[in-house]
Amino acid sequence: KLQTALICGAFNVESKNTIEMLDFNFTEKESGLNPQLGSSTKDKHWVLVKANKKNVFDIRNSQISGSNENAAIFMSFWLFSPRSLVNLLAEPDMPKLDMFIGAENGFALYINGNCFNKKVTEKFNFEGNKVENLPLEKGWNHLMVKIVRGSGDGHWNMNTRFESNSSEYLKQMLSSVSR
């Protein structure tokens, strides 16, 4: 379970649906962001956010600026993988790591600067939407999740958790808010 991360936003846009917001570049180079606590992206500060006891990040009530309508936020964290999950030749018994992301309207997952997965969601799913086979390199990997929200009622929440076919692998993983 992810308990702490950096968050930045809200970045607002008019008249875009969820798919358009997932494809829209709210910053100069979304995939190239390297956030640090207190740094800024387009006049928005990166702040520390903690999940509640149910492992849910309450975006709406976090320290973000801007409107919660037709907006995106970015959540950033680092994962340490004790083994490569991309090089089958070097790791013939390579474990599998899946990530489950709960987001209200949609999300895009970036791993080490590359967009790995985008998904439109109709409502917040506490169990999360499964993103299979994360391609982590051995060592520290930067994960960033763009979370979008349209207009209307509802909360703006996010949660994430990880599952692996190797409990030993999961025990060796580490997370950090910055590197």
Side-chain angles (χ1 to χ4, degrees):
K1 295 179 185 177
L2 182 68
Q3 293 294 306
T4 57
L6 292 178
I7 191 173
C8 186
F11 298 94
N12 302 98
V13 65
E14 292 183 25
S15 303
K16 293 204 182 292
N17 63 35
T18 301
I19 295 170
E20 292 170 329
M21 285 193 291
L22 287 173
D23 291 335
F24 186 74
N25 199 351
F26 286 87
T27 68
E28 292 292 319
K29 294 183 179 180
E30 289 180 359
S31 63
L33 292 175
N34 186 14
Q36 301 295 318
L37 184 61
S39 67
S40 298
T41 298
K42 289 191 80 172
D43 298 324
K44 307 285 184 179
H45 296 288
W46 286 93
V47 295
L48 188 67
V49 63
K50 295 182 180 184
N52 64 21
K53 292 177 184 178
K54 294 181 179 179
N55 197 42
V56 174
F57 293 93
D58 181 356
I59 297 166
R60 182 185 297 274
N61 294 314
S62 63
Q63 300 174 26
I64 59 172
S65 60
S67 169
N68 290 314
E69 304 283 320
N70 297 316
I73 63 96
F74 294 91
M75 182 174 283
S76 170
F77 57 95
W78 291 79
L79 286 181
F80 178 82
S81 176
R83 300 174 60 182
S84 171
L85 302 184
V86 294
N87 189 345
L88 188 57
L89 293 176
E91 300 280 352
D93 60 341
M94 181 169 53
K96 177 183 167 189
L97 182 67
D98 300 328
M99 183 175 179
F100 293 81
I101 301 173
E104 187 173 332
N105 289 147
F107 65 86
L109 173 63
Y110 296 86
I111 300 176
N112 295 324
N114 298 306
C115 186
F116 179 67
N117 188 287
K118 289 182 188 178
K119 178 136 179 98
V120 173
T121 58
E122 292 187 26
K123 63 180 183 175
F124 176 74
N125 177 357
F126 184 77
E127 295 301 315
N129 300 279
K130 188 176 186 178
V131 179
E132 295 187 66
N133 298 318
L134 298 186
L136 301 183
E137 299 288 347
K138 182 177 181 178
W140 287 101
N141 295 266
H142 183 219
L143 279 72
M144 188 169 59
V145 184
K146 174 165 84 172
I147 304 154
V148 298
R149 181 180 190 284
S151 60
D153 293 335
H155 303 284
W156 199 5
N157 294 326
M158 186 269 196
N159 71 335
T160 186
R161 63 185 173 85
F162 299 91
E163 287 184 1
S164 176
N165 60 350
S166 169
S167 59
E168 193 60 37
Y169 173 78
L170 274 180
K171 289 177 188 174
Q172 296 175 34
M173 289 186 66
L174 302 171
S175 68
S176 176
V177 295
S178 64
R179 296 289 312 145

